Amino acid sequence: MNAKEFLARLDHYKLIASVKEAKYLEKAAEANLSAVVLSIGNIGVIKGYVDFFKSRDIPVFIHLERVGGISYDREGIAFLSHYVKPDGIVTTRNTLIKLAKKQGLLTIQRHFLVDSDALKSGLQSIQETQPDAVELMPGLLPEFLEEYRSVLDTPIIAGGLIRKREQMERVLQHGATAVSVGSPSLWKESFVHGSSPVV
């Protein structure tokens, strides 16, 4: 999947499932999703998880800091790209965004909005690395979503501490392109636009 196709799907479905336990793989595969982010596994099982979603035409990203056994360097990213073959990665690290882009992987850069310095450095980081999308955490800060949206063309994903549909709707109304949620009960929520899926 290329960046244009991913962004169209992100805009269409507006929902990303963050899978944190293997028992929820099937449930995520049944939902109308922009993508799945795998925050589980290790080098021995991650390819099987990726293949599971790719066989169902669901874009799959790996949250690198949560998967054991893959080194955070050029060789680790090359292994991921050529052997595991996810559509992309999620990471907080600038260097990994740059390495992943060189390997042809899609990138979602995660930022934690803990204070005004983090807000400023986050914007600078995104402008430097140019990820395909940025995930802002926690997602329940709509005024900061609007601030990022006013400065960046990059799609914004809101994630973290979102526990009900009303919160999902709120962040979408305040400029998020999509919402990332780890609660399987929220994966059934539908925000699909139009009548036919974007692939």
Side-chain angles (χ1 to χ4, degrees):
M1 172 168 285
N2 64 36
K4 185 177 179 182
E5 291 167 336
F6 170 61
L7 297 181
R9 188 175 173 111
L10 194 66
D11 188 56
H12 183 74
Y13 289 108
K14 303 204 170 289
L15 181 60
I16 294 174
S18 178
V19 181
K20 300 174 183 177
E21 294 183 61
K23 67 182 180 181
Y24 295 126
L25 293 168
E26 289 278 357
K27 188 161 191 164
E30 295 166 0
N32 288 320
L33 301 172
S34 301
V36 165
V37 172
L38 296 174
S39 296
I40 55 168
N42 56 55
I43 197 169
V45 298
I46 197 66
K47 180 168 174 48
Y49 295 166
V50 168
D51 290 347
F52 172 78
F53 287 106
K54 292 195 90 164
S55 72
R56 289 157 176 77
D57 294 322
I58 299 171
V60 58
F61 287 72
I62 293 176
H63 183 184
L64 282 179
E65 289 91 340
R66 299 271 177 90
V67 175
I70 298 174
S71 60
Y72 305 149
D73 57 19
R74 183 170 44 231
E75 290 76 17
I77 300 299
F79 169 81
L80 200 67
S81 175
H82 299 294
Y83 176 71
V84 181
K85 299 183 180 177
D87 293 285
I89 66 159
V90 176
T91 183
T92 58
R93 303 179 186 199
N94 287 12
T95 55
L96 294 179
I97 294 288
K98 293 173 184 176
L99 289 171
K101 289 176 74 168
K102 286 180 182 175
Q103 290 292 335
L105 293 168
L106 296 171
T107 56
I108 299 174
Q109 189 159 3
R110 181 175 281 180
H111 284 283
F112 294 95
L113 298 175
V114 295
D115 57 25
S116 55
D117 289 338
L119 176 69
K120 183 179 178 182
S121 65
L123 285 167
Q124 290 172 342
S125 178
I126 293 161
Q127 290 167 333
E128 177 193 333
T129 59
Q130 298 290 306
D132 295 295
V134 59
E135 182 178 16
L136 299 182
M137 300 183 84
L140 301 178
L141 299 169
E143 64 273 20
F144 294 106
L145 292 172
E146 291 175 351
E147 189 166 339
Y148 266 70
R149 170 64 60 224
S150 70
V151 176
L152 301 173
D153 290 330
T154 310
I156 296 171
I157 301 163
L161 302 179
I162 295 173
R163 296 180 178 158
K164 49 192 177 183
R165 181 180 174 94
E166 293 77 18
Q167 294 169 324
M168 299 165 80
E169 291 171 345
R170 186 170 180 222
V171 297
L172 291 171
Q173 290 164 359
H174 283 85
T177 304
V179 183
S180 175
V181 292
S183 173
S185 65
L186 293 176
W187 298 344
K188 70 181 185 303
E189 299 295 343
S190 180
F191 298 96
V192 176
H193 289 177
S195 56
S196 60
V198 175
V199 192

